[in-house]
Amino acid sequence: MLTETMSTAATIETKPQPPPAEKIKVKVDGKEVAVPKTTPDPVTGKPLPTSMIQACAAANVIVPHYCYHPKLPVAGSCRMCLVEFGTPAIGPDRKPIVNPDGTTKISRALRPVIACATPVSPGMEIYTNTPAVRLMREGVLEFLLINHPLDCPICDQAGECKLQEYSVDYGNSESRFVEAKVHKPKRVELGPRIVLDDERCILCSRCIRFTRDVAGDDALGFVNRGSHSTLTAYPGRAFDNNYTLNTVDICPVGALTSKDFRFRMRVWFLKETRSLCTSCATGCNIVIGSREDAIYRYEPRENDAVNSCWMCDHGRLNYKWIGREDRLVEVRKREAEGRGQASGSRSAAPTWSAVLGEISQKLKAAEPGSIAIVASARQTNEELHLLAKLAKRLGALTDSVPRIAAGDKLLLNADRNPNSTGARLTGIAADPMGSNLPAIAGGIRSGRIKTLIVFGEDATKCGIDADLLDKLELLIASDILPNATTRRAHYLLPGCAHAEKRGTFTNTKGRVQKFLKAVEPRGDARPEWEYLHELLVNVTSRDGIASIEGVFNEMAKEVPAFSGLTWATLGDTGISAKI
Amino acid sequence: MPQEHRQILKYVDQPGYTPDIECYLRHSGYEALKKAITLPPKTQADGKTTTGPEQIRQEVMISGLRGRGGAGFPCGLKWSFVDRKSGKPIHLICNADESEPGTFKDKQIIYKDPHQMLEGMIIACYANDAHLAYIYIRGEFVEGAKILARALREARAKNFLGRNILGSGYDLEIHIHRGAGAYICGEETGLIESLEGRRAYPRIKPPYFPAVLGLYLCPTIVNNVETLCAVKHITAMGGAEYAKLGTPNNTGTRIVSISGHVKRPGYYEIEVGKVTIGELIHDPCFGGGLRDGRKLKAIIPGGSSAKIFKAGEKFKLKGNSLLGREAEKEVELLDLPYDFDSIIEAGSMSGSGALIVMDDSTDMVEALSNIAEFYAHESCGQCTPCREGSLWMAKALHRLTHGGGRSTDADYLLRIADNIPGGRTICAFGEACAWPVQSFVGKFKDEFIAKGAADEERRMKPAASPQC
């Protein structure tokens, strides 16, 4: 029984559902809503009494707040979420008093409370929009603004700033503050990736709590007292862990800014595209911020089954290669005679259709067992599945390349391929991954393997040296950036970065997640699944649906682990496959 | 004739009375502890048996003792809130961070009769089954910390402290922790944070009620120095006997610190409610009257955070409700009994028992500016209204006292102050910094307006023509 439970737990991503929680009925601004009595603590997972702000969220009422963050321990210090409330009045018989009209009599509390830290109780009524509550919010907002520099025109946060947003709702157009503002350090280098403006800081302590309680690096804190309180890193120590840039995301104002992003683009110009981080097997959900086909930033996107609200700095900053000048942007063909020569003759401007036609012919003509495929676990499920089908048809020896580096306990996985699981499930990778590579090298050396197809990897870096590549009769390479393999390829097919196409990855825990296209491919580059599909159709003479939806849905029918999935049902946060 | 009733300060200031344990023992010291620790279990009328510690807790409940630190919360009730079923150890902290401006009562006890405080503390620990206790003493009491350290050594040597106290099997260790000079460390949850080694940011309640989640997230009792001394006397004389001192619901004695424009500023121990504010100011036993030729202008009844009273103010009090509902009676400020309830009813509080007297030489704007500067300096900075509001008010008052005033500043100040208290902040510091402004400006508005108007007028005058 126990093993059964454990194996079930191991196969699905989400933890086993706890027994249905006891519900409490409360009213938020007159609207009744039932909420669980307890809610798991965002950090420790221990059950905590459900708070008013959570009940309000359940009733689709957003209570303005600065320090509260659903994924952090509660601080209760900004006082923006003050609300009024009432509880059922209890009579001398210790029973609720009933009004003449049959409703429960509510006794209003004399003092306001913070919605973020006050537990709900049965029959409680929460009032989030009374004149008194609005006055309190106006008061808090005024206090936050008096010492704020109000430098929105040069502030990177402008456009996604909570101070700006609530100023529209609760601010005055004119300040009655006539004193001198408090001055604090500006342009402080907190760490290698973060710049702090202490005057903009509203002392909400989100960053402190994040780095202490989530990242496990107690690096930030306040010094000085009162209005002179100042956020700082520990003296003599840089704020430098792999999660620092999350503090920029959760900073409700423009105090913490990313050195990488600041002053590069106003946020309102950015197009936001739901995508995935490709830097490791965790598969953090991200939003790509792009404008006019240039990518400016990655930000984490909430997915509680994968990355909560966070992502690592390593993954976040790993986007610049997409815009590199030396991207492969044209289809290339080299005649076999020119092999090995630096000035290999090149036919003028080959086209996709011509090259794919030629490749198809050559593959069809190749004798069984003479072909090998080195795929990449950076490719999508669809691409790997199409490659696997092609390999099966051609009787090819296949594998993909493992990519291991140090991981950490939070999000960064030691497996730095985004789709190792997909490579395994589609059958393209050997078990263990990479164990077929010596056999492929040996096959080429012995002359048995005459054709090598390499996708997104540099074969010379995984045991198939340049002289082996030179022995091949046919080397087909598809890649995004140039390397020793692409330089030797007879046919070079320029592929797309994930940001330039659609597809799915299966993360290390088996969650199948899709990503969408943020920018146009460079030059003649095309999504790999497109030309793989075309090749497969050519080789098998079988028709298929040339759309990512069609390819995915077909794959779901053919790969047991993906059975039952459809492109449409994956949604924004994916589905856990049975791996 | 109103008189001092010296109970806690009975021997203090007597010639030859020294803070060492031998002197304390000569004055029947630690007798109450011996009594407490040997209390046999008692069978109640309903057949239930109460242990010694339970009996002490009952006596404190019966005594009606109210906390002497500032809030005046009933001590027995506070003890009854302690979570005794959590399985976690219960800690007791003696709050010796006396820092409310105008208050200097705990200092007398710590410096002159430390063993009385220790005895009360040990009894309170025994009554609450605490085995680890702390004395959090304000950093400025350098000598006081040394005196207490010596007293602890002496008590340990005599086995009033440590393992198996007086052969009872009860163990208790007390540590001294010195603060670093922050007013907010007197707030009990701020104190606990500071004791744990962090910034003294008061905790949010809920969930961090000290009685449930206090020091190291264990049930914790925080009691003032004077309160703990009272526990010793309650143990010695019995709760019912103690309750006969003072007035109903305002029992016992308390030490009043009188400062300001009186002839005899100092500390005076009175039966609570048996002496009026007027007597405290004018009676030769107490303040001895104002300086010659001066008239009373205002008093602050309970430390600088309490709301000010204007001389001649009249209050409608409900009167003592012991004999049923009595008619409201009008009471003049000077006839107001110095207790907890009457002063609350009159709109202020007796707080830490610090009576600050101001005569007609006082500039109310200057006085408030001084107080506001203190609170702006001491705001911990954790929550928004107090952090920003306290400094804003201090800056406005600094402007008003340095020639930059406006006639509108009185209302300006009130509107700032109104956004701070009343549950808008995590701790009572919000009230502490807003109440003086609300009450000073509210009751002496003319002075604030006049000062601002005078500044405006001066600024309007054309500048003197430059000399050639």
Side-chain angles (χ1 to χ4, degrees):
Chain A
M1 186 62 208
L2 183 70
T3 48
E4 214 177 283
T5 320
M6 282 178 70
S7 66
T8 317
T11 52
I12 56 166
E13 169 81 21
T14 44
K15 293 185 187 98
Q17 286 295 309
E22 195 184 327
K23 293 263 185 174
I24 291 181
K25 274 187 186 166
V26 298
K27 267 189 188 170
V28 179
D29 295 338
K31 183 182 160 192
E32 190 165 85
V33 60
V35 294
K37 196 176 176 192
T38 61
T39 309
D41 178 281
V43 178
T44 63
K46 280 200 307 194
L48 291 178
T50 299
S51 66
M52 286 179 167
I53 208 165
Q54 287 164 335
C56 290
N60 281 325
V61 171
I62 293 178
V63 182
H65 56 268
Y66 288 107
C67 68
Y68 170 75
H69 189 285
K71 302 294 180 195
L72 295 176
V74 165
S77 60
C78 76
R79 316 308 283 181
M80 192 65 182
C81 70
L82 282 168
V83 292
E84 294 192 293
F85 74 105
T87 45
I90 304 294
D93 56 354
R94 317 239 6 110
K95 284 184 187 143
I97 303 172
V98 180
N99 286 325
D101 63 355
T103 54
T104 313
K105 188 179 176 188
I106 296 292
S107 70
R108 291 275 288 246
L110 296 174
R111 288 157 77 95
V113 292
I114 42 172
C116 66
T118 311
V120 291
S121 60
M124 178 183 269
E125 292 193 357
I126 305 168
Y127 315 108
T128 71
N129 208 11
T130 61
V133 167
R134 291 187 62 86
L135 273 176
M136 286 186 272
R137 284 179 198 157
E138 286 172 19
V140 170
L141 194 74
E142 181 180 38
F143 283 137
L144 287 175
L145 288 173
I146 55 169
N147 285 308
H148 189 84
L150 303 176
D151 56 349
C152 308
I154 57 154
C155 177
D156 262 299
Q157 191 80 2
E160 50 185 13
C161 172
K162 289 287 176 197
L163 266 184
Q164 282 187 325
E165 285 171 27
Y166 293 140
S167 289
V168 175
D169 295 339
Y170 303 104
N172 297 316
S173 56
E174 215 174 306
S175 171
R176 55 190 166 105
F177 182 76
V178 296
E179 329 300 335
K181 285 182 192 266
V182 173
H183 289 292
K184 292 189 205 172
K186 308 280 277 184
R187 226 169 56 226
V188 180
E189 289 216 6
L190 268 194
R193 293 172 295 282
I194 309 273
V195 178
L196 162 69
D197 184 326
D198 264 312
E199 288 187 348
R200 290 182 190 153
C201 174
I202 60 165
L203 304 163
C204 72
S205 80
R206 275 183 177 186
C207 52
I208 297 175
R209 284 174 282 148
F210 169 80
T211 191
R212 184 188 63 205
D213 298 323
V214 178
D217 175 21
D218 196 356
L220 299 178
F222 292 132
V223 294
N224 301 336
R225 262 195 332 223
S227 193
H228 301 280
S229 298
T230 304
L231 175 69
T232 183
Y234 192 83
R237 232 189 81 186
F239 178 42
D240 184 15
N241 61 56
N242 195 24
Y243 293 88
T244 60
L245 285 166
N246 291 292
T247 61
V248 176
D249 300 332
I250 57 175
C251 180
V253 296
L256 295 169
T257 47
S258 156
K259 271 196 197 174
D260 182 63
F261 179 71
R262 60 195 245 122
F263 305 139
R264 286 186 62 222
M265 186 52 64
R266 305 273 21 181
V267 295
W268 52 83
F269 290 131
L270 291 178
K271 181 180 85 173
E272 298 193 330
T273 307
R274 292 187 292 279
S275 186
L276 298 171
C277 175
T278 57
S279 293
C280 82
T282 303
C284 290
N285 290 213
I286 64 166
V287 170
I288 296 178
S290 62
R291 185 188 183 198
E292 292 178 356
D293 289 338
I295 293 173
Y296 288 91
R297 68 176 179 188
Y298 286 178
E299 282 183 303
R301 173 165 60 94
E302 182 170 349
N303 185 343
D304 288 347
V306 181
N307 57 311
S308 185
C309 292
W310 323 119
M311 72 183 296
C312 75
D313 292 1
H314 166 73
R316 187 193 297 254
L317 296 177
N318 190 12
Y319 68 88
K320 299 204 168 91
W321 55 274
I322 297 169
R324 250 163 71 171
E325 287 296 312
D326 59 347
R327 277 284 299 271
L328 300 173
V329 292
E330 52 189 16
V331 187
R332 285 188 198 161
K333 179 186 166 190
R334 265 173 23 153
E335 299 306 333
E337 300 81 57
R339 162 170 23 119
Q341 293 173 17
S343 58
S345 61
R346 196 178 291 165
S347 64
T351 61
W352 272 105
S353 56
V355 163
L356 288 180
E358 284 177 30
I359 294 173
S360 306
Q361 289 309 318
K362 290 191 177 182
L363 291 181
K364 266 202 244 181
E367 57 188 273
S370 71
I371 300 177
I373 298 176
V374 176
S376 172
R378 287 168 162 174
Q379 288 177 271
T380 67
N381 292 322
E382 300 75 31
E383 291 159 4
L384 292 168
H385 177 61
L386 291 169
L387 259 180
K389 282 171 81 166
L390 192 66
K392 198 172 173 191
R393 172 76 189 195
L394 300 171
L397 187 58
T398 68
D399 204 349
S400 63
V401 182
R403 192 169 268 108
I404 303 294
D408 66 23
K409 283 182 190 158
L410 197 51
L411 289 174
L412 185 62
N413 200 291
D415 177 1
R416 295 296 174 83
N417 279 320
N419 201 18
S420 296
T421 311
R424 185 162 60 82
L425 294 178
T426 53
I428 198 84
D431 184 22
M433 185 188 285
S435 57
N436 270 355
L437 293 171
I440 295 173
I444 300 171
R445 194 172 293 115
S446 70
R448 192 166 49 83
I449 292 172
K450 301 183 173 70
T451 299
L452 182 66
I453 302 172
V454 184
F455 262 80
E457 298 285 356
D458 183 356
T460 63
K461 289 200 177 138
C462 48
I464 306 168
D465 296 336
D467 58 324
L468 286 181
L469 295 181
D470 289 340
K471 279 184 64 148
L472 288 163
E473 283 175 18
L474 179 60
L475 174 61
I476 302 163
S478 164
D479 216 324
I480 300 167
L481 293 165
N483 59 39
T485 306
T486 61
R487 276 190 289 276
R488 285 173 172 77
H490 305 119
Y491 292 101
L492 174 61
L493 310 174
C496 281
H498 66 292
E500 297 161 348
K501 63 187 177 188
R502 293 190 295 165
T504 62
F505 290 132
T506 310
N507 82 354
T508 185
K509 290 180 180 168
R511 197 167 186 89
V512 184
Q513 310 187 93
K514 74 180 169 198
F515 57 88
L516 305 179
K517 176 176 158 179
V519 293
E520 286 299 323
R522 307 290 143 127
D524 287 342
R526 284 176 71 192
E528 288 85 336
W529 66 266
E530 265 185 41
Y531 50 81
L532 274 169
H533 179 78
E534 214 170 311
L535 268 180
L536 194 65
V537 168
N538 289 348
V539 172
T540 61
S541 316
R542 196 195 58 126
D543 208 355
I545 310 156
S547 74
I548 191 72
E549 292 87 348
V551 175
F552 181 87
N553 294 346
E554 194 180 79
M555 172 184 72
K557 289 196 188 89
E558 291 166 6
V559 178
F562 299 149
S563 97
L565 302 182
T566 64
W567 177 269
T569 54
L570 285 181
D572 289 339
T573 54
I575 290 176
S576 294
K578 300 170 211 69
I579 58 169
Chain B
M1 271 295 282
Q3 271 196 335
E4 270 207 85
H5 183 99
R6 285 207 165 202
Q7 185 179 53
I8 292 169
L9 300 179
K10 189 171 179 185
Y11 302 116
V12 165
D13 298 333
Q14 277 187 8
Y17 191 77
T18 51
D20 56 274
I21 197 164
E22 296 303 336
C23 177
Y24 187 62
L25 289 172
R26 280 200 302 278
H27 293 78
S28 60
Y30 288 107
E31 289 302 324
L33 174 63
K34 285 175 194 159
K35 178 183 170 187
I37 218 152
T38 53
L39 275 176
K42 200 157 103 187
T43 309
Q44 302 287 335
D46 58 3
K48 279 187 195 151
T49 309
T50 49
T51 63
E54 280 169 341
Q55 290 170 44
I56 303 169
R57 297 207 296 268
Q58 270 172 7
E59 291 301 316
V60 171
M61 190 73 101
I62 292 166
S63 75
L65 173 66
R66 292 172 72 164
R68 304 298 195 232
F73 194 79
C75 181
L77 202 55
K78 191 178 210 172
W79 288 5
S80 74
F81 292 153
V82 171
D83 182 356
R84 298 178 199 281
K85 296 194 180 107
S86 67
K88 296 186 207 168
I90 297 166
H91 299 310
L92 187 138
I93 300 167
C94 170
N95 186 346
D97 193 65
E98 180 175 59
S99 35
E100 179 73 20
T103 317
F104 41 86
K105 62 181 181 70
D106 295 341
K107 186 177 181 180
Q108 314 309 324
I109 300 166
I110 294 164
Y111 278 67
K112 297 171 184 169
D113 203 359
H115 281 287
Q116 183 182 190
M117 178 192 119
L118 284 188
E119 185 176 3
M121 194 173 169
I122 297 165
I123 294 169
C125 287
Y126 177 70
N128 288 289
D129 198 29
H131 298 277
L132 182 59
Y134 292 88
I135 301 167
Y136 191 101
I137 185 165
R138 72 176 293 194
E140 290 87 338
F141 287 171
V142 181
E143 202 55 42
K146 285 183 192 161
I147 291 168
L148 281 176
R150 189 181 132 190
L152 283 178
R153 274 199 306 277
E154 290 171 340
R156 209 172 280 128
K158 299 265 184 204
N159 195 219
F160 296 127
L161 200 58
R163 294 208 154 271
N164 192 16
I165 293 172
L166 300 176
S168 64
Y170 173 67
D171 304 337
L172 172 67
E173 204 42 76
I174 297 180
H175 299 289
I176 298 172
H177 184 98
R178 286 184 58 205
Y183 173 81
I184 198 62
C185 291
E187 199 277 345
E188 61 179 358
T189 56
L191 185 154
I192 288 170
E193 283 281 300
S194 171
L195 198 51
E196 288 184 12
R198 290 194 285 270
R199 287 169 70 82
Y201 276 173
R203 294 176 174 174
I204 47 175
K205 290 148 272 186
Y208 299 106
F209 293 107
V212 184
L213 294 171
L215 184 64
Y216 305 119
L217 298 186
C218 295
T220 303
I221 298 164
V222 185
N223 279 146
N224 173 259
V225 172
E226 191 186 344
T227 313
L228 289 170
C229 291
V231 168
K232 177 209 141 152
H233 295 286
I234 290 164
T235 310
M237 65 202 285
E241 200 61 31
Y242 185 86
K244 286 179 188 162
L245 294 169
T247 50
N249 206 35
N250 296 272
T251 57
T253 66
R254 77 179 298 187
I255 307 169
V256 185
S257 314
I258 304 179
S259 62
H261 302 147
V262 289
K263 283 187 180 144
R264 295 178 68 230
Y267 47 93
Y268 301 93
E269 189 171 356
I270 60 166
E271 278 189 67
V272 184
K274 289 277 178 76
V275 181
T276 65
I277 286 177
E279 287 162 349
L280 284 173
I281 297 170
H282 292 295
D283 197 278
C285 296
F286 300 107
L290 302 167
R291 295 177 298 174
D292 294 334
R294 295 290 181 190
K295 278 192 289 204
L296 184 68
K297 185 167 188 181
I299 64 137
I300 304 176
S304 65
S305 62
K307 287 188 176 177
I308 197 166
F309 286 140
K310 189 174 182 174
E313 258 192 277
K314 289 185 172 62
F315 311 101
K316 286 210 160 56
L317 301 189
K318 288 213 184 67
N320 213 318
S321 58
L322 266 192
L323 302 168
R325 187 174 283 271
E326 275 184 30
E328 278 189 342
K329 59 177 180 184
E330 202 175 60
V331 180
E332 212 262 307
L333 170 63
L334 294 181
D335 297 328
L336 201 62
Y338 196 83
D339 63 12
F340 294 97
D341 293 336
S342 307
I343 298 180
I344 288 171
E345 239 184 302
S348 185
M349 61 172 183
S350 61
S352 55
L355 188 69
I356 302 170
V357 183
M358 301 179 190
D359 69 20
D360 55 359
S361 68
T362 313
D363 180 333
M364 300 315 282
V365 185
E366 294 277 358
L368 180 60
S369 180
N370 184 302
I371 291 173
E373 196 185 324
F374 173 80
Y375 286 106
H377 184 253
E378 294 296 342
S379 168
C380 79
Q382 183 180 202
C383 63
T384 311
C386 160
R387 175 182 71 229
E388 304 297 341
S390 60
L391 185 64
W392 188 359
M393 295 187 297
K395 279 178 173 172
L397 283 158
H398 183 268
R399 188 167 45 74
L400 197 50
T401 50
H402 288 75
R406 303 173 301 173
S407 54
T408 51
D409 278 338
D411 286 319
Y412 180 76
L413 280 165
L414 284 179
R415 277 159 66 197
I416 303 168
D418 288 348
N419 275 333
I420 304 171
R424 287 173 175 84
T425 53
I426 291 174
C427 77
F429 193 104
E431 277 77 13
C433 71
W435 281 349
V437 175
Q438 287 175 325
S439 60
F440 271 70
V441 181
K443 290 177 181 175
F444 298 91
K445 203 164 180 179
D446 301 350
E447 286 190 37
F448 285 82
I449 294 174
K451 191 134 184 161
D455 285 351
E456 274 174 349
E457 201 172 313
R458 203 176 50 251
R459 286 199 299 272
M460 288 293 283
K461 273 187 196 158
S465 54
Q467 290 185 341
C468 297

